[in-house]
Amino acid sequence: MNKFLVTLIAGAAMSGGQLSAMQTADYRVVPLPREITMTAAAEGFKLLPTTKIAYSKGDEQQKKNAELLAEYIGGLTGLKLQITTKMPRANAIVLSADLAGENPEAYALTVTDRMIKINGVTPTGTFRGVQTLRKSIGEPVAGGETLTFPAVEIADRPEFGYRGMHLDVSRHFISADSVKRYIDILALHNINKFHWHLTDDQGWRLEIKKHPKLTEVGSKRSKTVIGKNWGTFDNIPHEGFYTQEQVRDIVRYAADRQITIIPEIDLPGHMQGVLAAYPHLGCTGGPYEVWSTWGVSDEVLCVGNDATFELIDDVLTEVLDLFPSEYIHVGGDECPKVRWKDCPKCQARIESLGIKGDDKHTAEEYLQSYVINRAERFLNERGRKMIGWDEILEGGLSPNATVMSWRGEDGGREAVRQGHDAIMVPNNYLYFDYYQTEDTDGEPLAIGGCVTTEHVYSYNPRMKGLTDEEKSHVLGVQANLWTEYIPNFRHVEYMVLPRMAALSEVQWTDPESKDYTDFTTRLRRFMKLYDHEGYNYARHLFNVRGEFTPDHATGAVVVKLFSVDGSPIHYTLDGTEPTRQSALYTRPLSISSDCTFTAAAFPESGIKTRPISETFSFNKATNRSVTLLQPTHSNYTYKGPGTLVDGLRGVGNIRTGRWLGFSGNDMEAVIDLGAEQELSEMELRTFVDRDDWVFNARGVAIAVSSDGVNYTEVASKTMEPATADSPKGIETFTLTFEPVKARYAKVTALSEHNIPAWHGAAGNPGFLFVDEISLK
């Protein structure tokens, strides 16, 4: 694979007093072009009021490229450049599309003293070059300054052909104008696919002429759950949908920016909006309502009803008329089968199709496969292709289907091994509805988890262990934004930016050529375009990043601090906010006594950064050896048993790595103190969030031993089952007992093995999350 080529020919350095009054373009943009070769021109191209933008007469796509380039330059410089079809000999930016090459988005950008030429393999490639030229300006040009583009030859092309970004408008409706603004953000980041999630349990957002009740009824919900307080509602109606006229306009708007819109009609689950409009299409006949809460509804389409398939065909027919995309997304995710199991019509359908369950899948899972395959045949017969979430692998998959792998990488790995195309959207890397910092205090509400900009950047879609043939089926990469907790577009912007910049390099750049440190340097300048466009973006990138590592030999915690650009870091040990006069961090620190450690970066730019703070609490268990007698859940093991005694307390986010998670098992942790010590108190912390199936401990206990074999229980406490009104958040259990000498302490916390009947997941094992164990 080609690596970035950045060559500076002697004599081409853009330094010297001559240019000091000028603003100079910088081609090291986001995403970074593949090859940048500076050439030995004396001055480069000066942008003047007389500069023209030229394209070939009759080329409507290049005309639109020229208009957009003029708009971009005008916004950044104030110059209103003339667009012409006459090819000037000098002082012009010339757009063309006759570059030789196989990649339709490849382009060459050449700058001399007399001319700027952007030549694509297709007009799409030219548009990508237009974006590079736009981004090279970086920030508005001050009045009286001249903008100079240094002489250069750029050769660029994307690594992946599918570079997507998703937006859910069902949970919270977003206006047509805001959707266009979102498309503008995608264009800025070289993204070429907009996955538009238009339907779900909480609202149907697309006008369907043949079935008007889908929007008359299905687009309106009477109330919305408040935050994560299930059972508490705002009683404010929420509604909205896009007319077909609006959709056509948005499709054109995206096409002008070389973006294809892939619509999603999620079926056969996530259909409560449809059932509210047409209750006869459900297994029970209703009554139904547009869902006012989040999660996965048991109410799904009755696929034993012929009218269900008539509606699906009608909807897809109008979708195909509205969206010219090669791909149509049909969802296929999170479809509970409980209604189908009890529905005579669905069971009759299973019998008539001769479907049998086996050791791989139930009959109902095979029935879902029938529904998905039928939808795919409908699309294939009309010249289109189907995408579905990785659940469509359950029950078998037809040869032409493309899998969008969201539950980690396993779905994508299985799809390509079966010879199917896959698009990688692993939630642990690319779900932008997750928090983007572990320090969630002061952050707008998010669904949970933590996906930082750096973590996004680290993702490599070409998974290890695949053959070259299998890797060829990885079409590309996408990030998702679900809007359960994102009620407006300013919040949308905040959640996607700047993580979308990291995504753009994952999508565009050869994985072997990525460099996070270099990326952050370029990103700082790129953010000036965010400022110019008025985007609401997160600034966590500039905050101090800390690594806290237990030193088992000394019992201390070693603190290493990093700033994104080497900005000086100052810290305190008393919980006060650092200033430039506070202690300067110069090397790793070893902390071995109780304190509240706070650190902040102080960039030269003066950008305000948020301090990081950790409260260290040392006790007799800190950094001691820990053995778990029952395993953690595989998704919540993190750094292993030592997490329970590392001196670091978890915050209100179970996915930061500070909490260990158990499900179906209890926590039994044996702590070896190294030698006999006197103990009289045990403290243990749990995290509770019933909406995520996370329940409090049903009981806690401590037993002690001198030999690690024979234990004596010294204290315990039993808790009643949780109710719908039980408190959420962090709870601390403290057990005190008569002083006793012991080398080993076995601490037990019992998990909720059967979620209570009042909960939507009744009967399933709950999760138990445990943090720091303290022994005194």
Side-chain angles (χ1 to χ4, degrees):
M1 296 181 180
N2 291 337
K3 294 188 175 181
F4 297 139
L5 174 63
V6 182
T7 307
L8 181 63
I9 297 177
M14 291 291 117
S15 60
Q18 165 182 357
L19 294 179
S20 61
M22 299 181 182
Q23 182 168 318
T24 304
D26 184 344
Y27 304 116
R28 293 182 56 77
V29 299
V30 176
L32 184 65
R34 195 169 287 254
E35 297 180 13
I36 305 174
T37 305
M38 308 304 294
T39 56
E43 296 182 353
F45 183 89
K46 291 182 175 61
L47 191 72
L48 304 173
T50 55
T51 299
K52 293 181 173 59
I53 300 175
Y55 69 96
S56 297
K57 186 175 182 179
D59 191 333
E60 289 302 311
Q61 291 189 69
Q62 293 291 29
K63 179 182 179 182
K64 177 52 65 174
N65 284 341
E67 291 171 346
L68 287 170
L69 178 57
E71 178 183 323
Y72 298 145
I73 290 176
L76 289 165
T77 68
L79 299 178
K80 296 182 179 180
L81 302 187
Q82 181 183 346
I83 298 173
T84 180
T85 56
K86 296 180 180 179
M87 293 297 169
R89 295 184 177 181
N91 192 25
I93 304 172
V94 178
L95 307 183
S96 56
D98 55 13
L99 182 69
E102 296 181 358
N103 192 311
E105 294 185 89
Y107 68 90
L109 194 161
T110 304
V111 178
T112 66
D113 288 354
R114 297 170 59 83
M115 199 84 71
I116 296 176
K117 295 182 179 180
I118 305 175
N119 189 14
V121 172
T122 66
T124 302
T126 309
F127 182 75
R128 305 299 173 221
V130 163
Q131 289 299 326
T132 295
L133 190 70
R134 167 201 186 183
K135 286 180 278 194
S136 74
I137 301 173
E139 61 182 317
V141 177
E145 286 192 336
T146 299
L147 175 62
T148 299
F149 293 93
V152 73
E153 292 180 359
I154 294 176
D156 197 14
R157 69 181 187 277
E159 184 71 12
F160 291 100
Y162 186 106
R163 303 185 308 282
M165 189 67 217
H166 160 284
L167 180 63
D168 164 22
V169 296
S170 176
R171 275 52 177 261
H172 282 100
F173 179 72
I174 292 168
S175 71
D177 286 344
S178 292
V179 172
K180 288 182 177 180
R181 184 171 171 88
Y182 194 70
I183 290 168
D184 286 332
I185 295 174
L186 304 192
L188 179 65
H189 292 82
N190 289 24
I191 290 171
N192 65 353
K193 298 290 189 290
F194 170 33
H195 176 172
W196 201 3
H197 186 83
L198 288 161
T199 70
D200 219 298
D201 293 312
Q202 294 81 11
W204 182 282
R205 307 296 178 202
L206 176 64
E207 179 187 23
I208 299 297
K209 301 283 190 182
K210 195 168 184 179
H211 298 280
K213 284 187 178 180
L214 288 174
T215 49
E216 291 173 1
V217 176
S219 70
K220 304 172 183 180
R221 65 174 182 262
S222 61
K223 57 189 176 183
T224 303
V225 62
I226 298 175
K228 297 184 179 181
N229 299 309
W230 287 28
T232 305
F233 300 91
D234 59 13
N235 296 317
I236 300 172
H238 185 89
E239 61 183 282
F241 68 92
Y242 307 98
T243 67
Q244 293 199 358
E245 182 180 359
Q246 287 176 313
V247 169
R248 294 183 195 281
D249 179 54
I250 291 170
V251 168
R252 283 192 298 268
Y253 190 88
D256 287 344
R257 289 149 183 81
Q258 306 302 323
I259 293 171
T260 300
I261 298 180
I262 297 175
E264 180 183 356
I265 306 298
D266 201 351
L267 59 92
H270 288 289
M271 277 280 178
Q272 200 157 312
V274 173
L275 299 182
Y278 299 105
H280 67 284
L281 299 182
C283 291
T284 68
Y288 307 102
E289 64 177 5
V290 179
W291 219 20
S292 54
T293 191
W294 319 127
V296 179
S297 172
D298 288 340
E299 307 302 340
V300 302
L301 291 177
C302 175
V303 296
N305 188 341
D306 290 340
T308 292
F309 293 107
E310 293 172 7
L311 179 127
I312 291 174
D313 292 350
D314 292 342
V315 167
L316 290 179
T317 296
E318 295 195 31
V319 165
L320 295 179
D321 183 56
L322 290 168
F323 296 94
S325 168
E326 176 186 15
Y327 290 101
I328 304 296
H329 203 301
V330 299
D333 64 315
E334 297 179 328
C335 179
K337 313 300 190 292
V338 293
R339 295 289 182 257
W340 292 356
K341 289 179 180 179
D342 297 329
C343 175
K345 290 183 179 180
C346 290
Q347 291 303 310
R349 180 79 69 185
I350 288 173
E351 184 176 355
S352 68
L353 294 172
I355 293 175
K356 303 290 184 183
D358 55 30
D359 57 352
K360 293 182 179 179
H361 300 290
T362 67
E364 288 75 22
E365 286 175 334
Y366 283 121
L367 180 61
Q368 172 161 333
S369 180
Y370 166 78
V371 177
I372 297 299
N373 289 341
R374 185 186 180 283
E376 187 190 15
R377 287 195 304 273
F378 184 92
L379 296 173
N380 291 166
E381 289 168 0
R382 290 153 181 82
R384 308 297 184 92
K385 296 179 181 179
M386 185 195 79
I387 299 177
W389 301 111
D390 55 53
E391 286 97 328
I392 66 174
L393 287 164
E394 299 169 0
L397 189 59
S398 55
N400 296 323
T402 297
V403 173
M404 190 166 274
S405 182
W406 72 276
R407 296 179 297 180
E409 294 184 326
D410 289 347
R413 191 182 300 275
E414 180 61 26
V416 300
R417 284 177 174 167
Q418 291 183 20
H420 299 290
D421 289 338
I423 298 161
M424 301 309 299
V425 199
N427 60 332
N428 53 333
Y429 283 96
L430 298 173
Y431 264 40
F432 288 179
D433 51 330
Y434 287 15
Y435 286 106
Q436 48 199 318
T437 174
E438 292 184 0
D439 182 9
T440 57
D441 291 343
E443 287 293 293
L445 188 63
I447 198 168
C450 180
V451 173
T452 65
T453 299
E454 182 175 9
H455 192 59
V456 174
Y457 194 84
S458 71
Y459 183 58
N460 183 353
R462 293 201 167 96
M463 298 162 282
K464 292 181 180 179
L466 299 183
T467 66
D468 289 343
E469 169 64 20
E470 289 166 347
K471 288 179 180 179
S472 71
H473 285 289
V474 178
L475 300 184
V477 197
Q478 176 175 294
N480 286 355
L481 186 69
W482 303 100
T483 60
E484 287 95 333
Y485 304 106
I486 303 175
N488 57 65
F489 191 71
R490 293 293 284 172
H491 195 168
V492 167
E493 290 180 343
Y494 184 83
M495 298 305 286
V496 301
L497 302 175
R499 290 188 285 193
M500 195 186 291
L503 171 70
S504 74
E505 294 220 344
V506 171
Q507 295 173 329
W508 188 272
T509 306
D510 167 12
E512 297 179 3
S513 300
K514 291 189 302 175
D515 183 315
Y516 182 71
T517 300
D518 179 67
F519 164 74
T520 57
T521 300
R522 291 179 283 111
L523 181 58
R524 183 182 292 276
R525 187 169 184 270
F526 189 45
M527 285 176 167
K528 293 179 180 178
L529 269 175
Y530 290 175
D531 292 329
H532 171 68
E533 298 293 343
Y535 296 148
N536 180 34
Y537 63 95
R539 292 166 171 79
H540 309 99
L541 187 72
F542 303 114
N543 296 341
V544 173
R545 181 169 60 86
E547 289 183 359
F548 305 93
T549 306
D551 183 342
H552 297 291
T554 65
V557 175
V558 177
V559 178
K560 293 182 180 180
L561 302 177
F562 308 88
S563 58
V564 68
D565 54 1
S567 298
I569 300 171
H570 295 268
Y571 68 92
T572 65
L573 297 175
D574 61 2
T576 59
E577 185 168 333
T579 68
R580 291 183 184 273
Q581 285 69 49
S582 302
L584 178 67
Y585 173 83
T586 57
R587 63 179 184 273
L589 306 171
S590 181
I591 295 180
S592 57
S593 59
D594 292 1
C595 68
T596 299
F597 174 83
T598 310
F602 293 85
E604 291 183 5
S605 63
I607 291 176
K608 176 70 173 176
T609 66
R610 180 189 296 181
I612 62 168
S613 187
E614 289 289 347
T615 298
F616 293 96
S617 179
F618 290 83
N619 59 83
K620 293 175 182 178
T622 304
N623 287 333
R624 297 300 183 182
S625 174
V626 181
T627 301
L628 291 178
L629 302 184
Q630 297 188 47
T632 57
H633 188 281
S634 59
N635 290 344
Y636 304 107
T637 299
Y638 298 113
K639 294 182 180 179
T643 303
L644 297 172
V645 293
D646 59 5
L648 302 171
R649 296 189 169 219
V651 295
N653 185 346
I654 58 176
R655 295 176 179 86
T656 61
R658 295 288 179 86
W659 302 88
L660 295 188
F662 300 82
S663 181
N665 295 316
D666 301 321
M667 187 210 74
E668 287 186 283
V670 175
I671 302 169
D672 182 354
L673 301 175
E676 279 201 346
Q677 299 195 45
E678 186 173 270
L679 302 176
S680 61
E681 181 179 296
M682 186 277 291
E683 182 181 283
L684 175 147
R685 301 167 82 240
T686 63
F687 183 86
V688 183
D689 185 351
R690 299 181 307 278
D691 298 340
D692 283 339
W693 299 19
V694 180
F695 286 78
N696 209 346
R698 290 295 304 275
V700 295
I702 177 171
V704 297
S705 172
S706 295
D707 58 10
V709 177
N710 301 296
Y711 284 87
T712 301
E713 184 176 287
V714 293
S716 64
K717 182 178 181 180
T718 301
M719 277 70 71
E720 293 297 320
T723 68
D725 298 323
S726 295
K728 300 181 182 180
I730 298 171
E731 181 161 344
T732 301
F733 294 95
T734 302
L735 299 181
T736 58
F737 43 91
E738 291 297 319
V740 60
K741 287 189 176 182
R743 173 174 173 173
Y744 300 92
K746 180 165 67 174
V747 179
T748 302
L750 303 178
S751 68
E752 180 60 77
H753 286 248
N754 290 285
I755 294 177
W758 56 264
H759 193 279
N764 289 290
F767 282 88
L768 170 71
F769 280 85
V770 182
D771 178 30
E772 205 68 7
I773 298 174
S774 170
L775 296 176
K776 297 178 183 179

PDB file of all heavy atoms in Angstrom, residues 410-427:
ATOM      1  N   ASP A 410     -17.591  -9.367  15.057  1.00  0.00           N
ATOM      2  CA  ASP A 410     -17.872 -10.770  14.766  1.00  0.00           C
ATOM      3  C   ASP A 410     -18.801 -10.936  13.571  1.00  0.00           C
ATOM      4  O   ASP A 410     -18.611 -11.830  12.735  1.00  0.00           O
ATOM      5  CB  ASP A 410     -18.480 -11.457  15.990  1.00  0.00           C
ATOM      6  CG  ASP A 410     -17.463 -11.643  17.110  1.00  0.00           C
ATOM      7  OD1 ASP A 410     -16.260 -11.457  16.838  1.00  0.00           O
ATOM      8  OD2 ASP A 410     -17.873 -11.955  18.243  1.00  0.00           O
ATOM      9  N   GLY A 411     -19.845 -10.085  13.481  1.00  0.00           N
ATOM     10  CA  GLY A 411     -20.773 -10.193  12.362  1.00  0.00           C
ATOM     11  C   GLY A 411     -20.093  -9.953  11.031  1.00  0.00           C
ATOM     12  O   GLY A 411     -20.328 -10.666  10.045  1.00  0.00           O
ATOM     13  N   GLY A 412     -19.231  -8.944  10.983  1.00  0.00           N
ATOM     14  CA  GLY A 412     -18.505  -8.654   9.755  1.00  0.00           C
ATOM     15  C   GLY A 412     -17.540  -9.764   9.403  1.00  0.00           C
ATOM     16  O   GLY A 412     -17.396 -10.154   8.229  1.00  0.00           O
ATOM     17  N   ARG A 413     -16.853 -10.289  10.419  1.00  0.00           N
ATOM     18  CA  ARG A 413     -15.904 -11.382  10.189  1.00  0.00           C
ATOM     19  C   ARG A 413     -16.626 -12.609   9.624  1.00  0.00           C
ATOM     20  O   ARG A 413     -16.164 -13.236   8.662  1.00  0.00           O
ATOM     21  CB  ARG A 413     -15.211 -11.720  11.507  1.00  0.00           C
ATOM     22  CG  ARG A 413     -14.017 -12.649  11.371  1.00  0.00           C
ATOM     23  CD  ARG A 413     -13.431 -12.962  12.749  1.00  0.00           C
ATOM     24  NE  ARG A 413     -13.005 -11.753  13.416  1.00  0.00           N
ATOM     25  CZ  ARG A 413     -11.820 -11.181  13.240  1.00  0.00           C
ATOM     26  NH1 ARG A 413     -10.955 -11.730  12.393  1.00  0.00           N
ATOM     27  NH2 ARG A 413     -11.491 -10.084  13.897  1.00  0.00           N
ATOM     28  N   GLU A 414     -17.777 -12.946  10.206  1.00  0.00           N
ATOM     29  CA  GLU A 414     -18.535 -14.097   9.733  1.00  0.00           C
ATOM     30  C   GLU A 414     -19.073 -13.849   8.320  1.00  0.00           C
ATOM     31  O   GLU A 414     -19.068 -14.760   7.479  1.00  0.00           O
ATOM     32  CB  GLU A 414     -19.684 -14.394  10.694  1.00  0.00           C
ATOM     33  CG  GLU A 414     -20.546 -15.584  10.297  1.00  0.00           C
ATOM     34  CD  GLU A 414     -19.775 -16.886  10.230  1.00  0.00           C
ATOM     35  OE1 GLU A 414     -18.742 -17.019  10.930  1.00  0.00           O
ATOM     36  OE2 GLU A 414     -20.206 -17.787   9.482  1.00  0.00           O
ATOM     37  N   ALA A 415     -19.525 -12.633   8.054  1.00  0.00           N
ATOM     38  CA  ALA A 415     -20.081 -12.316   6.738  1.00  0.00           C
ATOM     39  C   ALA A 415     -19.037 -12.495   5.635  1.00  0.00           C
ATOM     40  O   ALA A 415     -19.304 -13.142   4.615  1.00  0.00           O
ATOM     41  CB  ALA A 415     -20.629 -10.893   6.731  1.00  0.00           C
ATOM     42  N   VAL A 416     -17.844 -11.924   5.823  1.00  0.00           N
ATOM     43  CA  VAL A 416     -16.835 -12.009   4.753  1.00  0.00           C
ATOM     44  C   VAL A 416     -16.325 -13.440   4.604  1.00  0.00           C
ATOM     45  O   VAL A 416     -15.946 -13.856   3.498  1.00  0.00           O
ATOM     46  CB  VAL A 416     -15.673 -11.025   5.001  1.00  0.00           C
ATOM     47  CG1 VAL A 416     -16.194  -9.594   5.036  1.00  0.00           C
ATOM     48  CG2 VAL A 416     -14.898 -11.339   6.274  1.00  0.00           C
ATOM     49  N   ARG A 417     -16.324 -14.200   5.694  1.00  0.00           N
ATOM     50  CA  ARG A 417     -15.906 -15.594   5.576  1.00  0.00           C
ATOM     51  C   ARG A 417     -16.926 -16.414   4.803  1.00  0.00           C
ATOM     52  O   ARG A 417     -16.581 -17.429   4.201  1.00  0.00           O
ATOM     53  CB  ARG A 417     -15.659 -16.185   6.966  1.00  0.00           C
ATOM     54  CG  ARG A 417     -14.338 -15.700   7.560  1.00  0.00           C
ATOM     55  CD  ARG A 417     -14.084 -16.208   8.961  1.00  0.00           C
ATOM     56  NE  ARG A 417     -12.755 -15.818   9.404  1.00  0.00           N
ATOM     57  CZ  ARG A 417     -12.321 -15.886  10.654  1.00  0.00           C
ATOM     58  NH1 ARG A 417     -13.129 -16.334  11.605  1.00  0.00           N
ATOM     59  NH2 ARG A 417     -11.095 -15.524  10.964  1.00  0.00           N
ATOM     60  N   GLN A 418     -18.194 -15.972   4.820  1.00  0.00           N
ATOM     61  CA  GLN A 418     -19.222 -16.632   4.017  1.00  0.00           C
ATOM     62  C   GLN A 418     -19.272 -16.086   2.585  1.00  0.00           C
ATOM     63  O   GLN A 418     -20.083 -16.534   1.785  1.00  0.00           O
ATOM     64  CB  GLN A 418     -20.587 -16.440   4.667  1.00  0.00           C
ATOM     65  CG  GLN A 418     -20.777 -17.173   5.984  1.00  0.00           C
ATOM     66  CD  GLN A 418     -22.193 -17.003   6.535  1.00  0.00           C
ATOM     67  OE1 GLN A 418     -23.126 -16.670   5.808  1.00  0.00           O
ATOM     68  NE2 GLN A 418     -22.351 -17.224   7.832  1.00  0.00           N
ATOM     69  N   GLY A 419     -18.417 -15.122   2.271  1.00  0.00           N
ATOM     70  CA  GLY A 419     -18.379 -14.555   0.931  1.00  0.00           C
ATOM     71  C   GLY A 419     -19.279 -13.357   0.730  1.00  0.00           C
ATOM     72  O   GLY A 419     -19.461 -12.901  -0.406  1.00  0.00           O
ATOM     73  N   HIS A 420     -19.847 -12.811   1.808  1.00  0.00           N
ATOM     74  CA  HIS A 420     -20.694 -11.624   1.707  1.00  0.00           C
ATOM     75  C   HIS A 420     -19.863 -10.355   1.883  1.00  0.00           C
ATOM     76  O   HIS A 420     -18.829 -10.353   2.561  1.00  0.00           O
ATOM     77  CB  HIS A 420     -21.783 -11.640   2.786  1.00  0.00           C
ATOM     78  CG  HIS A 420     -22.713 -12.803   2.691  1.00  0.00           C
ATOM     79  ND1 HIS A 420     -23.628 -12.939   1.682  1.00  0.00           N
ATOM     80  CD2 HIS A 420     -22.867 -13.890   3.485  1.00  0.00           C
ATOM     81  CE1 HIS A 420     -24.308 -14.058   1.852  1.00  0.00           C
ATOM     82  NE2 HIS A 420     -23.863 -14.657   2.937  1.00  0.00           N
ATOM     83  N   ASP A 421     -20.332  -9.270   1.315  1.00  0.00           N
ATOM     84  CA  ASP A 421     -19.730  -7.967   1.572  1.00  0.00           C
ATOM     85  C   ASP A 421     -20.138  -7.484   2.959  1.00  0.00           C
ATOM     86  O   ASP A 421     -21.224  -7.809   3.455  1.00  0.00           O
ATOM     87  CB  ASP A 421     -20.178  -6.948   0.527  1.00  0.00           C
ATOM     88  CG  ASP A 421     -19.565  -7.216  -0.841  1.00  0.00           C
ATOM     89  OD1 ASP A 421     -18.518  -7.883  -0.906  1.00  0.00           O
ATOM     90  OD2 ASP A 421     -20.143  -6.755  -1.844  1.00  0.00           O
ATOM     91  N   ALA A 422     -19.258  -6.696   3.584  1.00  0.00           N
ATOM     92  CA  ALA A 422     -19.536  -6.193   4.928  1.00  0.00           C
ATOM     93  C   ALA A 422     -19.102  -4.743   5.041  1.00  0.00           C
ATOM     94  O   ALA A 422     -18.134  -4.312   4.402  1.00  0.00           O
ATOM     95  CB  ALA A 422     -18.829  -7.030   5.983  1.00  0.00           C
ATOM     96  N   ILE A 423     -19.837  -4.008   5.843  1.00  0.00           N
ATOM     97  CA  ILE A 423     -19.490  -2.642   6.208  1.00  0.00           C
ATOM     98  C   ILE A 423     -19.302  -2.638   7.722  1.00  0.00           C
ATOM     99  O   ILE A 423     -20.182  -3.088   8.464  1.00  0.00           O
ATOM    100  CB  ILE A 423     -20.585  -1.655   5.787  1.00  0.00           C
ATOM    101  CG1 ILE A 423     -20.747  -1.671   4.257  1.00  0.00           C
ATOM    102  CG2 ILE A 423     -20.270  -0.234   6.272  1.00  0.00           C
ATOM    103  CD1 ILE A 423     -22.064  -1.111   3.775  1.00  0.00           C
ATOM    104  N   MET A 424     -18.175  -2.144   8.174  1.00  0.00           N
ATOM    105  CA  MET A 424     -17.826  -2.256   9.580  1.00  0.00           C
ATOM    106  C   MET A 424     -18.308  -1.029  10.357  1.00  0.00           C
ATOM    107  O   MET A 424     -17.955   0.108  10.043  1.00  0.00           O
ATOM    108  CB  MET A 424     -16.309  -2.423   9.737  1.00  0.00           C
ATOM    109  CG  MET A 424     -15.755  -3.646   9.008  1.00  0.00           C
ATOM    110  SD  MET A 424     -16.648  -5.185   9.395  1.00  0.00           S
ATOM    111  CE  MET A 424     -16.370  -5.279  11.174  1.00  0.00           C
ATOM    112  N   VAL A 425     -19.122  -1.304  11.391  1.00  0.00           N
ATOM    113  CA  VAL A 425     -19.666  -0.254  12.261  1.00  0.00           C
ATOM    114  C   VAL A 425     -19.622  -0.741  13.718  1.00  0.00           C
ATOM    115  O   VAL A 425     -20.623  -0.667  14.424  1.00  0.00           O
ATOM    116  CB  VAL A 425     -21.124   0.103  11.879  1.00  0.00           C
ATOM    117  CG1 VAL A 425     -21.521   1.456  12.446  1.00  0.00           C
ATOM    118  CG2 VAL A 425     -21.337   0.085  10.381  1.00  0.00           C
ATOM    119  N   PRO A 426     -18.485  -1.258  14.192  1.00  0.00           N
ATOM    120  CA  PRO A 426     -18.468  -1.822  15.539  1.00  0.00           C
ATOM    121  C   PRO A 426     -18.793  -0.766  16.594  1.00  0.00           C
ATOM    122  O   PRO A 426     -18.200   0.302  16.617  1.00  0.00           O
ATOM    123  CB  PRO A 426     -17.037  -2.345  15.695  1.00  0.00           C
ATOM    124  CG  PRO A 426     -16.233  -1.572  14.704  1.00  0.00           C
ATOM    125  CD  PRO A 426     -17.160  -1.311  13.555  1.00  0.00           C
ATOM    126  N   ASN A 427     -19.758  -1.097  17.450  1.00  0.00           N
ATOM    127  CA  ASN A 427     -20.231  -0.093  18.408  1.00  0.00           C
ATOM    128  C   ASN A 427     -19.143   0.350  19.373  1.00  0.00           C
ATOM    129  O   ASN A 427     -19.155   1.492  19.840  1.00  0.00           O
ATOM    130  CB  ASN A 427     -21.441  -0.626  19.188  1.00  0.00           C
ATOM    131  CG  ASN A 427     -21.129  -1.889  19.970  1.00  0.00           C
ATOM    132  OD1 ASN A 427     -20.247  -2.671  19.606  1.00  0.00           O
ATOM    133  ND2 ASN A 427     -21.849  -2.121  21.046  1.00  0.00           N
TER     134      ASN A 427
END
